[in-house]
Amino acid sequence: MSANPIPRAANDPDAVETQEWLEALDTVIEQEGPERAHYLLERLIEQARRSGTFIPLSASTAYVNTIPTHLEERSPGDPALEERIRSYVRWNAMAMVVRANRGEGDLGGHIASYASVGTLMEVGFNYFWHAPDAEHGGDLIYIQGHSSPGVYARAFLEGRISEEQLLNFRREVDGKGVSSYPHPKLMPDFWQFPTVSMGLGPIQAIYQARFLKYLHARGIANTEKRKVWAFCGDGEMDEPESLGAIGLAAREKLDNLIFVVNCNLQRLDGPVRGNGKIIQELEGEFRGGGWNVIKVIWGSYWDPLLARDSDGLLRRLMEETVDGEYQNYKANDGAYVRKHFFGKYPQLLERVARMTDEDIWRLNRGGHDPHKIYAAYAAATRHSGQPTVILAKTVKGYGMGKIGEAKNPTHQLKKLDTEAVREFRDRFRIPIPDDRLAELPLYRPDQNSPEIKYLHERRRALGGYLPQRRRAASETMKAPPLETFSAMLEPTAEGREISTTQAFVRFLTQLVRDKTLGPRVVPIIPDEARTFGMEGMFRQLGIFSQQGQLYEPVDRDQLMYYREDKAGQILEEGINEAGAMSSWIAAATSYSSNDRIMLPFYIFYSMFGFQRVGDLAWAAGDMQARGFLLGGTSGRTTLNGEGLQHQDGHSHVLASVVPNCVCYDPTFAHEVAVILRDGVRRMVEEQENVWYYVTLLNENYPQPGLLRGQEAGILKGMYRLREGPAGSGRGQSISRVQLLGSGSILREVIAAAELLEADWGVAGDVWSVTSFTELRRDGLEVERWNLLHPASRARKAFATEALERTAGPIVASTDYMRLFADQIRPQIPQGRAYKVLGTDGFGRSDTRAKLRSFFEVDRHYVAVAALKALAEEGAVAAGRVAEAIQRYGIDPERPSPWVV
């Protein structure tokens, strides 16, 4: 017989026959093992279906704990000491939030989230989460963002965070406090992963776990012992990113990944699934997705009741009760639970007749029972071949009493009155006297107390303290010299044309040949390798696959065939920008997470970059990522024939808002080479906390090559590419203009200079602006310095210095919104006109020439804008502008492109 027999179902029409089947199954399990039992069950289901029996899919199991009591692994520690430590952490987490919202503070914060997840966290800290040391690379923990006060409170007990820091919770400006949520940018030695933007933690954890497998398979780091843990809220699982990649985790057999979903049944406004069961729903999602699911629903105080449930009535009631009711029970008291839960069935009411209301109230949820949690964690860490999700049922605001426990507004609860504080103190037995309650002091036992000694012992056994973050890799690497990429620096041969995308592929091909840095390059492609001309790398580098290649590719007889390999270097992510970005982040932060410098290059349609994954890009900035994002087919008019959804006129505007994202919009191959090589130097050699967004073009044209002295201007953001005819400077009769362009439109600007000279006798100096964004940032620094140093000689921005040595009005034209080039207006020399052309509006399909005319950024509009600026200065007659409009076939009455 089974050690934990299943009770008779309340609606079973033939209990005797059912028992016979169950006993037969028990015999198979005991004598032949669970694998044989599973095989027989699958055959029975298959036979029933073949016989025409309709068997609906049921991806969820009974609403009880997955691990039966007789199979639970018991915790080896001291439960009494651990309970006291948990209580101290809870108190300090509550106290720091409440004190931050007293007086003039009112700084916000959250008590209820950590209150619900605290036991889940503490069991991990005490037994399972290994810190990095000589023998272990360290586990990676994605901590539920709103629970940060509890993590600070534990670090305070450990002596890693001071009382002053806790009392300055959410006071970050002076550097004396701790950040509101996990932010590596603000606490670079502490937090590893920003998780408070809901959904980003789960998807990043999945790709982080896969990246650990990648590092191990390629022999770069031994990651065998390491686990990735992700703590999520049940409400958070509604975010598309939370569940969107669980299929990949199962497909890749990420048994180094453990999700812990804190199912407190509440989100910010109310129940997550008031009319249903979120645990059952999530179980179905994850089991259907191929995960190992462990449910931790009921605590140990329920075990005797469930053991006596011979008729299955209690289990039936548990199934019938919806989450809205479960929330209500914990928002009230034992008497309420007796009446409204057990009272639904007279038989159950009779079973609890000898229990006091206090006994009934003590019936705990699994997510607050350290023994149940330990058993679940132990099973999860031993499981192989699948990722594991632990669905733990908890109470939001656990321990907050009548004012906050399981109440709808509890997420926003930040202030407690003295009575509520007293109730909290009494419930968790904190040794704070009544006369100090109003003060709400933090509590830390003496360093020689049993609790503190135990705390340190447990962490020493696990290699050290968590969370912790590495600021820089211990290894060092050199960037190849610029001459390595000479093929991109030389002019193209007569009649030869290439795109900047091809130039990038040449750069990458050369870089992966570097004996030291080459193996650390991580090419990431979202199913567009052929679009970007990168399919040659399939055979050269291989596509990472843990299974290798179990088939012969259809193009095996070709030179550039599709090759998957267990040690492949390319991450081919499919049509999945969020997943590709998460892989990029894992690689771009590897210096910190793995003490291994990696250099990821993620190339994508520029329209589907920042617009699609802007939240992840912001998180990358927070995490101090280092790597390259390449926006291919960039600009509103370069991707002819595709149309509104594909044509990008604003990615640089979006990229500019991330402070540590270095942005460039180059036109020529030599510019691409100079920019990328310097990025490698900064991020790899100098280990500088920046990352790059560089846009690339798919338009082929001759490349002029690098001239001596241009490198500095390319990197700073602008340089004079071509000077107009001599003899037309200040004081001369021939008019002069300064023409600025970037990306795909720079060549139109060059053509405009030729038109101005040939048709109107105007000289035009042409400037290649590789980065309006970097010029703006330089200008902001100068402007700020001048503001704060009024008595010193004023500094000048780089753009100002470059342009003030020239004559004439200034015209800029780009393939982006006018806002892009307008960034440098404050740096334009005083008294000089500045005309900006751009591609504001929705894209559309047509030829490049037609699109550039439609958006009014082509050579004709540049020439007209230059003549208009000269006319405003009185340098040419106004009639010349009208003449130019007519000559170039421009309709002055047509609607603006941004309203069409």
Side-chain angles (χ1 to χ4, degrees), residues 117-247:
V117 80
T119 309
L120 292 162
M121 299 285 293
E122 280 298 304
V123 173
F125 277 126
N126 283 330
Y127 294 105
F128 293 96
W129 299 340
H130 208 292
D133 61 17
E135 304 298 325
H136 194 294
D139 294 322
L140 302 175
I141 320 298
Y142 289 78
I143 292 169
Q144 200 175 354
H146 292 94
S147 65
S148 59
V151 182
Y152 294 139
R154 165 173 259 270
F156 170 66
L157 293 184
E158 294 168 339
R160 298 199 298 141
I161 285 181
S162 68
E163 181 169 347
E164 181 186 24
Q165 286 176 289
L166 282 199
L167 296 182
N168 280 282
F169 173 56
R170 293 198 166 203
R171 296 179 183 270
E172 303 166 12
V173 171
D174 293 331
K176 298 178 181 178
V178 289
S179 62
S180 54
Y181 300 118
H183 291 301
K185 170 67 177 174
L186 300 175
M187 297 182 68
D189 300 311
F190 193 81
W191 293 117
Q192 286 184 292
F193 310 111
T195 54
V196 81
S197 184
M198 300 290 95
L200 298 195
I203 191 170
Q204 287 186 79
I206 289 172
Y207 284 89
Q208 184 74 254
R210 202 272 296 266
F211 193 69
L212 292 183
K213 297 278 189 180
Y214 172 91
L215 290 175
H216 191 83
R218 296 193 56 228
I220 293 172
N222 185 344
T223 64
E224 283 181 308
K225 299 177 182 179
R226 302 176 69 187
K227 299 285 185 184
V228 177
W229 295 70
F231 280 77
C232 327
D234 47 359
E236 180 180 6
M237 303 312 287
D238 285 339
E239 289 283 2
E241 294 90 345
S242 296
L243 294 174
I246 63 172

Side-chain angles (χ1 to χ4, degrees), residues 308 338 342-343 345-355:
R308 295 196 301 270
R338 182 192 302 275
F342 293 107
Y345 291 98
Q347 304 96 307
L348 295 180
L349 198 58
E350 176 61 28
R351 288 182 203 173
V352 298
R354 295 186 180 182
M355 296 175 67

Side-chain angles (χ1 to χ4, degrees), residues 44 58 188 204 292 303 351 374 387 465 493 692 713 726 880 884:
L44 285 169
S58 177
Q204 287 186 79
N292 173 45
D303 288 346
R351 288 182 203 173
Y374 182 92
Y465 300 93
Y692 278 62
R880 301 283 274 173

Side-chain angles (χ1 to χ4, degrees), residues 230-449:
F231 280 77
C232 327
D234 47 359
E236 180 180 6
M237 303 312 287
D238 285 339
E239 289 283 2
E241 294 90 345
S242 296
L243 294 174
I246 63 172
L248 175 134
R251 186 170 66 249
E252 296 282 333
K253 297 179 172 57
L254 299 182
D255 49 13
N256 60 341
L257 174 65
I258 299 169
F259 272 23
V260 181
V261 184
N262 174 23
C263 298
N264 59 35
L265 315 185
Q266 292 179 243
R267 49 190 173 206
L268 274 65
D269 290 336
V272 177
R273 296 290 186 274
N275 295 315
K277 280 189 172 63
I278 188 60
I279 287 178
Q280 300 299 85
E281 180 182 320
L282 291 175
E283 180 188 23
E285 295 273 7
F286 280 99
R287 287 190 72 206
W291 286 52
N292 173 45
V293 179
I294 300 175
K295 294 193 292 190
V296 186
I297 301 174
W298 308 110
S300 299
Y301 288 110
W302 284 94
D303 288 346
L305 283 175
L306 287 166
R308 295 196 301 270
D309 188 36
S310 58
D311 60 0
L313 191 57
L314 178 57
R315 283 172 170 80
R316 176 178 175 179
L317 176 58
M318 290 172 168
E319 295 277 2
E320 293 171 345
T321 304
V322 296
D323 284 354
E325 293 177 289
Y326 281 121
Q327 180 189 348
N328 231 331
Y329 300 147
K330 283 302 179 183
N332 285 280
D333 55 21
Y336 184 92
V337 176
R338 182 192 302 275
K339 178 181 178 181
H340 293 277
F341 179 71
F342 293 107
K344 289 183 178 181
Y345 291 98
Q347 304 96 307
L348 295 180
L349 198 58
E350 176 61 28
R351 288 182 203 173
V352 298
R354 295 186 180 182
M355 296 175 67
T356 66
D357 290 344
E358 289 73 18
D359 292 335
I360 289 177
W361 185 245
R362 197 176 296 117
L363 293 170
N364 56 339
R365 292 184 178 175
H368 298 297
D369 188 321
H371 306 294
K372 302 290 185 183
I373 297 168
Y374 182 92
Y377 285 7
T381 53
R382 287 197 307 270
H383 190 79
S384 63
Q386 288 176 295
T388 294
V389 60
I390 296 168
L391 304 174
K393 191 175 184 180
T394 64
V395 181
K396 190 153 190 174
Y398 177 79
M400 294 175 68
K402 293 186 286 292
I403 193 172
E405 191 156 342
K407 301 293 174 65
N408 277 340
T410 192
H411 186 82
Q412 282 80 19
L413 193 60
K414 302 161 181 61
K415 299 180 180 182
L416 300 180
D417 59 26
T418 303
E419 188 54 42
V421 170
R422 179 179 288 105
E423 185 178 343
F424 195 101
R425 177 204 62 181
D426 294 344
R427 180 162 182 173
F428 294 109
R429 301 177 184 177
I430 309 299
I432 302 289
D434 284 347
D435 60 358
R436 295 195 64 197
L437 281 183
E439 176 190 339
L440 203 59
L442 300 175
Y443 180 75
R444 179 165 53 190
D446 183 87
Q447 289 302 301
N448 294 317
S449 68

Side-chain angles (χ1 to χ4, degrees), residues 412-714:
Q412 282 80 19
L413 193 60
K414 302 161 181 61
K415 299 180 180 182
L416 300 180
D417 59 26
T418 303
E419 188 54 42
V421 170
R422 179 179 288 105
E423 185 178 343
F424 195 101
R425 177 204 62 181
D426 294 344
R427 180 162 182 173
F428 294 109
R429 301 177 184 177
I430 309 299
I432 302 289
D434 284 347
D435 60 358
R436 295 195 64 197
L437 281 183
E439 176 190 339
L440 203 59
L442 300 175
Y443 180 75
R444 179 165 53 190
D446 183 87
Q447 289 302 301
N448 294 317
S449 68
E451 296 91 341
I452 299 300
K453 286 184 176 180
Y454 186 87
L455 189 79
H456 289 301
E457 286 171 8
R458 293 309 314 145
R459 288 315 309 166
R460 281 196 293 269
L462 291 166
Y465 300 93
L466 289 174
Q468 61 168 276
R469 182 181 177 276
R470 183 183 293 106
R471 289 194 185 211
S474 60
E475 61 183 2
T476 57
M477 291 185 178
K478 289 284 187 182
L482 183 61
E483 295 72 32
T484 306
F485 311 101
S486 58
M488 286 133 277
L489 304 177
E490 299 296 329
T492 49
E494 184 71 28
R496 172 85 168 134
E497 297 181 342
I498 67 168
S499 68
T500 54
T501 300
Q502 290 172 281
F504 158 69
V505 174
R506 291 180 180 182
F507 179 94
L508 192 60
T509 301
Q510 192 66 39
L511 188 62
V512 296
R513 292 173 180 162
D514 186 276
K515 291 183 179 180
T516 303
L517 186 55
R520 302 301 184 89
V521 171
V522 185
I524 301 173
I525 309 166
D527 201 35
E528 291 285 0
R530 299 183 196 281
T531 300
F532 302 124
M534 298 176 67
E535 66 269 31
M537 290 186 171
F538 289 161
R539 182 181 179 187
Q540 177 191 358
L541 303 178
I543 298 163
F544 175 65
S545 169
Q546 293 195 71
Q547 295 176 293
Q549 193 155 29
L550 306 179
Y551 64 96
E552 182 173 296
V554 69
D555 55 356
R556 181 64 178 82
D557 58 341
Q558 298 179 19
L559 180 64
M560 297 181 289
Y561 70 90
Y562 194 86
R563 182 172 73 87
E564 299 187 64
D565 192 285
K566 290 183 178 180
Q569 191 165 350
I570 297 170
L571 290 176
E572 167 66 77
E573 300 296 9
I575 306 171
N576 181 5
E577 289 84 1
M581 187 66 179
S582 296
S583 276
W584 182 86
I585 290 173
T589 56
S590 179
Y591 73 92
S592 178
S593 301
N594 309 303
D595 199 22
R596 295 293 187 276
I597 293 173
M598 305 298 289
L599 187 60
F601 290 81
Y602 168 29
I603 184 168
F604 48 83
Y605 272 93
S606 66
M607 185 67 163
F608 304 137
F610 283 84
Q611 179 167 294
R612 198 73 175 260
V613 294
D615 206 4
L616 284 165
W618 188 256
D622 193 346
M623 293 171 70
Q624 311 291 277
R626 303 171 188 168
F628 291 97
L629 295 184
L630 292 308
T633 62
S634 64
R636 190 81 80 196
T637 69
T638 186
L639 187 60
N640 57 322
E642 287 291 345
L644 185 150
Q645 195 70 46
H646 287 71
Q647 291 171 344
D648 164 36
H650 50 272
S651 69
H652 268 290
V653 176
L654 300 178
S656 71
V657 306
V658 184
N660 50 356
C661 174
V662 182
C663 308
Y664 287 98
D665 183 34
T667 304
F668 296 118
H670 67 272
E671 296 172 347
V672 172
V674 169
I675 290 165
L676 295 184
R677 189 269 164 190
D678 195 62
V680 174
R681 178 191 64 81
R682 292 177 69 180
M683 294 184 290
V684 171
E685 191 171 317
E686 304 297 330
Q687 295 209 49
E688 189 177 345
N689 290 326
V690 294
W691 53 279
Y692 278 62
Y693 177 55
V694 181
T695 43
L696 303 171
L697 307 170
N698 64 332
E699 188 174 356
N700 294 325
Y701 42 81
Q703 302 292 330
L706 179 70
L707 299 180
R708 184 176 180 180
Q710 289 180 337
E711 296 99 316
I714 290 171

